[in-house]
Amino acid sequence: MSKKRIALITAFLLAIFLCTAGCSNTVSENETHTAGNTTLFVYSGAGLKAAMTEVGEVFTEKYGIGIDYNFAGSGTLITQMELTRKGDVFIPGGTPDYRIAQDKGLVGVPGYVAYHVPVIVVAPGNPKNITSIEDFARPGLKIALGDAKTTAIGRAGDNLFQQHGILDAVEANVVLRAPTVNEVAVAMNMGTADAALITLDMVNPETMEVIELPPENGVVLIVPIGVTTFTEHPDAARLFVEFVTSDEGKAIFVKHGFPAYPDPAYAGIEP
């Protein structure tokens, strides 16, 4: 083979190589994310399980990025993040828990998804004639609440009871302090409590009757989401956060009983 022909072939192969390299730099961001078969590890509040499970399925189908969840009370999740320094995204039940994680340097600036709206639930027909949060202090009632150390709803409830000066009286009636709001809902489903404080999305209309809390009680929570400071997949993690806070992601939360953020009905609620 002549030197000229060899040179032409070499130049041709080099051109192909350079073109391929150049093309790889112009691949869309989404295609870049999927190239490595990335799987994100997401810390999610247990009360968000139904919505976040569907969010993960839709996201994976759309972008080819897998989602593994750790569902637990927000306090438990923060402890796990602090100890392991592993994982990619954090979405708790409310901004107070997110701020705790921020103060510990575990997460960055959040986006906002939906509202977690606490409500009183009682047995159908309201046989104990419970009409307000003050009734939780009535002697002889059986009350189910979230653990104030591990759940956003537990902390919100205790703050509410303190505002009304009834925390000790309510505590005397507590038959369950659950590590997740899901277990509080189970107690009401099983009829083991006369009343409970859960979030609107957890209500089972077949086993519970809802008593709304006045908006001035200030217990409505905003659901935040953000990327961890130690993620090994920052681009994919940011893409997931963008999806959850998009109209498409919020629509899934609405489907599962959450008002989407922002909502004029909760205009006075700040993150």
Side-chain angles (χ1 to χ4, degrees):
M1 184 180 295
S2 68
K3 291 183 179 180
K4 184 177 180 180
R5 186 174 179 80
I6 292 173
L8 286 172
I9 292 173
T10 301
F12 177 74
L13 292 174
L14 180 60
I16 292 175
F17 173 79
L18 291 174
C19 179
T20 302
C23 290
S24 68
N25 290 329
T26 61
V27 174
S28 71
E29 185 179 31
N30 292 342
E31 290 172 336
T32 301
H33 288 313
T34 62
N37 295 320
T38 301
T39 296
L40 296 175
F41 188 79
V42 178
Y43 294 92
S44 174
L48 310 175
K49 185 174 183 178
M52 286 303 290
T53 297
E54 183 172 349
V55 163
E57 292 170 353
V58 174
F59 179 80
T60 297
E61 183 177 352
K62 187 169 185 175
Y63 295 108
I65 299 172
I67 303 294
D68 284 342
Y69 286 111
N70 181 8
F71 293 107
S74 299
T76 300
L77 296 177
I78 291 170
T79 299
Q80 292 174 351
M81 285 193 294
E82 194 170 19
L83 289 174
T84 66
R85 310 289 296 188
K86 300 289 186 182
D88 306 290
V89 174
F90 179 44
I91 177 166
T95 50
D97 293 294
Y98 195 91
R99 281 195 290 271
I100 292 172
Q102 264 189 314
D103 291 342
K104 292 177 178 290
L106 302 174
V107 289
V109 177
Y112 303 108
V113 186
Y115 296 91
H116 235 163
V117 183
V119 293
I120 297 169
V121 288
V122 297
N126 195 7
K128 299 294 184 178
N129 194 30
I130 296 167
T131 60
S132 69
I133 203 71
E134 285 86 355
D135 288 328
F136 278 42
R138 192 196 308 158
L141 288 180
K142 295 182 290 184
I143 305 297
L145 299 171
D147 191 316
K149 294 181 179 179
T150 61
T151 67
I153 188 67
R155 275 185 288 279
D158 277 13
N159 289 337
L160 185 58
F161 303 140
Q162 286 176 336
Q163 290 173 25
H164 289 265
I166 59 173
L167 180 59
D168 290 341
V170 171
E171 196 64 42
N173 288 336
V174 171
V175 295
L176 174 68
R177 278 282 190 179
T180 69
V181 67
N182 308 58
E183 290 160 274
V184 180
V186 168
M188 289 302 299
N189 286 331
M190 296 179 63
T192 56
D194 298 317
L197 196 65
I198 63 174
T199 49
L200 188 59
D201 54 285
M202 300 296 297
V203 171
N204 180 350
E206 295 183 0
T207 59
M208 307 173 198
E209 191 169 305
V210 173
I211 300 168
E212 294 184 0
L213 293 166
E216 59 267 21
N217 280 321
V219 293
V220 175
L221 300 169
I222 297 173
V223 178
I225 183 171
V227 178
T228 66
T229 55
F230 40 79
T231 177
E232 296 180 358
H233 310 289
D235 291 339
R238 281 192 292 268
L239 184 64
F240 183 70
V241 170
E242 290 169 5
F243 177 76
V244 178
T245 56
S246 71
D247 289 344
E248 186 177 2
K250 290 177 181 179
I252 295 173
F253 271 78
V254 171
K255 176 181 174 181
H256 288 275
F258 295 82
Y261 178 91
D263 186 325
Y266 305 101
I269 307 300
E270 298 293 334

